[in-house]
Amino acid sequence: MVQRGAKATPAPASDAAGTRGVDGTASAGKAPRTDRGRRTLRAILDAAAVEFGEKGFHEGSISGITRRAGVALGTFYTYFDSKDAIFRALVRDMSEQVRDHVAPALRAAPDQIAAERAGLLSFLEFVRGHQEIYRIIDEAEFVDPASFRAHYTTTAERIEQRLKTAAGRGEVRADVSDVHAWAIMGMNVFLGLRYGVWDEDRNPGAVADTVADLLRDGLAPR
């Protein structure tokens, strides 16, 4: 798909949270062994997000990534085997960033409808700061279909699991299924595109309120 006016803004790489779990993104046998190595790997991933977010996979380059990260070309190969490898790692990394960003809001919510509202609001806020995610995930469909599919499949599985857990508490209808999970995910994806990338003027809280009302009726216990 074409770029949708994405602005690439990498996350800070200096804090501990920014490097947590980053080891698994490196190519096989190349995981960093020190905190310094993790910070370098984080910087390379953040630079790749900017490079691919601005230029796309085919026009983006390893040299462009290393220039943005401020590291030598050889340092790139310390952690990644190829441009394909870092792109694949980046799709996984961005998916995990969304998960980690949204998780606290989900946990803090008093019930499941409130959790879905909080999750959407948190996602919209994330997208406004990381608009490049849409171009990168879209390109993954053609560059690395397995990563593209894994991104959406794992996201839907997380939604399904929390819906079923909520059903067990009597907070939502008992017959929630993967269909409900994929519907919520699809809605959130396109709301993120519309109100996180295309239009930043709409109050994201108001968007989340509208969706919560929709879900409250559609998921209400019966």
Side-chain angles (χ1 to χ4, degrees):
M1 295 185 183
V2 298
Q3 184 177 10
R4 292 167 169 148
K7 297 185 295 184
T9 306
S14 58
D15 61 356
T19 59
R20 187 179 300 128
V22 75
D23 302 45
T25 60
S27 293
K30 295 188 174 184
R33 298 180 181 179
T34 65
D35 288 341
R36 180 180 179 181
R38 294 183 186 94
R39 289 193 296 271
T40 300
L41 177 54
R42 178 75 266 164
I44 293 172
L45 284 166
D46 290 340
V50 178
E51 178 77 2
F52 293 137
E54 289 183 1
K55 298 182 178 180
F57 174 77
H58 295 292
E59 295 300 321
S61 66
I62 293 174
S63 60
I65 293 170
T66 56
R67 282 197 300 271
R68 293 178 190 274
V71 301
L73 188 62
T75 303
F76 175 91
Y77 290 103
T78 299
Y79 302 104
F80 296 103
D81 293 335
S82 64
K83 186 170 78 167
D84 291 77
I86 193 171
F87 186 85
R88 184 165 54 249
L90 183 61
V91 172
R92 174 182 169 183
D93 178 66
M94 299 200 83
S95 184
E96 291 176 350
Q97 283 192 58
V98 172
R99 179 199 64 195
D100 294 344
H101 184 82
V102 170
L106 295 174
R107 289 194 297 265
D111 58 62
Q112 197 57 39
I113 299 302
E116 296 305 325
R117 179 198 179 278
L120 173 58
L121 177 58
S122 185
F123 175 65
L124 290 174
E125 292 169 347
F126 179 88
V127 168
R128 288 187 177 187
H130 302 79
Q131 293 182 349
E132 70 277 8
I133 189 173
Y134 274 87
R135 180 170 191 173
I136 291 167
I137 298 301
D138 282 355
E139 281 202 303
E141 181 179 7
F142 307 100
V143 176
D144 191 61
S147 294
F148 176 79
R149 182 165 182 160
H151 168 71
Y152 286 115
T153 299
T154 56
T155 300
E157 287 172 349
R158 288 196 296 269
I159 296 173
E160 182 181 1
Q161 182 56 54
R162 69 182 186 238
L163 289 179
K164 289 184 174 179
T165 299
R169 297 193 300 262
E171 294 176 1
V172 300
R173 54 193 294 170
D175 63 345
V176 288
S177 68
D178 58 322
V179 175
H180 296 92
W182 280 85
I184 290 174
M185 180 181 67
M187 179 170 58
N188 290 352
V189 166
F190 278 95
L191 288 168
L193 174 63
R194 176 65 175 82
Y195 300 108
V197 178
W198 288 352
D199 177 11
E200 296 184 68
D201 295 329
R202 186 72 63 90
N203 185 320
V207 175
D209 285 341
T210 299
V211 173
D213 287 341
L214 178 65
L215 293 178
R216 188 172 292 109
D217 292 335
L219 291 177
R222 297 183 176 183

